[in-house]
Amino acid sequence: MLRFAMTNAWTYRRADRDDIVELASWRGAGSLGLRPHFHDEHQLVLVLSGSRSFRIDGETITVPAGHAALIPAGMLHAPMPTPDEETACLNAYVPASRACSSLQVVSIGARWQRVDEISPEHILEIAGDILLRAPSASTGRTDRSKLGAALTESLAPIGAVAAGLGRSREGFSRMVRRELGVAPHAFRLLARLNLARQLLRAGEPIAAVAVDAGFSDQSHLTRLFRRTFGTTPGVYWRD
């Protein structure tokens, strides 16, 4: 079973498995509001008590107790602060080996009272069932992936990336905002935060991670990491 220290903060744990990248738990009054971000993995949200709410594509999506939500890899979402009711939640990040084009919310019932009662097999069963029923990635989602790749696979200035796609900088920025939900620079910043998370999981020291992920210094990384993921790189790295 999974073991977590249940406090009024996000607690991250390595899963030590190839089929689950990482786990995070929360238990406390309400839940944190965080900056909009996306993940390189599918995020499975299991709510045992209380609720979680997300702002996605201009809409507020609430996941009540006894439900699970699967947020596809690459989908911009902003966790919203919830009322001060007791909330217990488990996030599981699983490889995006199977395409999914939209947020999926399903009922899982009152199967567990505590996060540590949920096994990796339970997580994979729920994620697999949701992905099996979910619509496959649409052409629009594929185009978004290509646009994201154009921004992250090149270190060229935004204007040069735009020119390479036959667009003006202004026109390219409008397209990125429309398709990805944030400005080009903001998208690159979020991608660097995801890289930092990956490097921390691999055990790289925080100062080196800040340099390798393109941040000006360790304090810059720490400030943005906490606002985006609900913990500091130091706590995340130790866990």
Side-chain angles (χ1 to χ4, degrees), residues 35-40 76 148 150-156 158 176 180 182-198 209-229:
R35 289 164 51 99
H37 60 277
F38 61 88
H39 300 286
D40 296 329
L76 191 74
L151 282 167
T152 56
E153 293 176 0
S154 170
L155 297 178
I158 300 299
V176 171
L180 302 180
V182 291
H185 175 73
F187 185 88
R188 278 183 161 177
L189 181 61
L190 292 174
R192 296 207 307 271
L193 284 167
N194 284 335
L195 173 60
R197 195 160 161 167
Q198 177 183 337
V209 169
V211 172
D212 291 346
F215 292 91
S216 57
D217 53 36
Q218 184 173 328
S219 63
H220 184 210
L221 168 63
T222 296
R223 183 170 63 254
L224 292 176
F225 199 96
R226 181 177 61 246
R227 293 175 182 174
T228 305
F229 301 131

Side-chain angles (χ1 to χ4, degrees), residues 131-172:
L131 288 168
L132 189 63
R133 291 180 287 176
S136 59
S138 64
T139 302
R141 178 62 61 181
T142 301
D143 291 343
R144 291 183 190 183
S145 298
K146 291 179 179 178
L147 188 57
L151 282 167
T152 56
E153 293 176 0
S154 170
L155 297 178
I158 300 299
V161 175
L165 295 175
R167 291 182 175 266
S168 67
R169 181 187 174 93
E170 293 75 16
F172 178 71

Side-chain angles (χ1 to χ4, degrees), residues 27-215:
R27 183 171 184 175
S31 60
L32 285 176
L34 298 172
R35 289 164 51 99
H37 60 277
F38 61 88
H39 300 286
D40 296 329
E41 310 85 19
H42 295 323
Q43 177 182 343
L44 181 68
V45 181
L46 303 174
V47 181
L48 306 190
S49 63
S51 64
R52 296 287 314 283
S53 291
F54 301 90
R55 193 71 177 168
I56 299 175
D57 289 338
E59 297 184 11
T60 298
I61 307 298
T62 298
V63 186
H67 288 72
L70 190 133
I71 302 174
M75 175 173 282
L76 191 74
H77 59 284
M80 301 175 64
T82 56
D84 291 337
E85 59 182 331
E86 182 75 7
T87 298
C89 175
L90 176 69
N91 288 348
Y93 303 89
V94 299
S97 55
R98 188 180 301 173
C100 182
S101 61
S102 60
L103 175 78
Q104 304 292 316
V105 180
V106 301
S107 174
I108 56 173
R111 299 170 61 180
W112 306 285
Q113 298 298 314
R114 303 190 313 272
V115 166
D116 59 11
E117 297 175 349
I118 306 173
S119 70
E121 287 69 31
H122 291 139
I123 291 169
L124 295 173
E125 176 188 357
I126 295 170
D129 286 348
I130 294 176
L131 288 168
L132 189 63
R133 291 180 287 176
S136 59
S138 64
T139 302
R141 178 62 61 181
T142 301
D143 291 343
R144 291 183 190 183
S145 298
K146 291 179 179 178
L147 188 57
L151 282 167
T152 56
E153 293 176 0
S154 170
L155 297 178
I158 300 299
V161 175
L165 295 175
R167 291 182 175 266
S168 67
R169 181 187 174 93
E170 293 75 16
F172 178 71
S173 295
R174 288 194 297 271
M175 180 175 66
V176 171
R177 283 183 178 275
R178 182 178 66 250
E179 297 297 331
L180 302 180
V182 291
H185 175 73
F187 185 88
R188 278 183 161 177
L189 181 61
L190 292 174
R192 296 207 307 271
L193 284 167
N194 284 335
L195 173 60
R197 195 160 161 167
Q198 177 183 337
L199 295 173
L200 288 167
R201 283 198 300 266
E204 188 169 326
I206 301 171
V209 169
V211 172
D212 291 346
F215 292 91

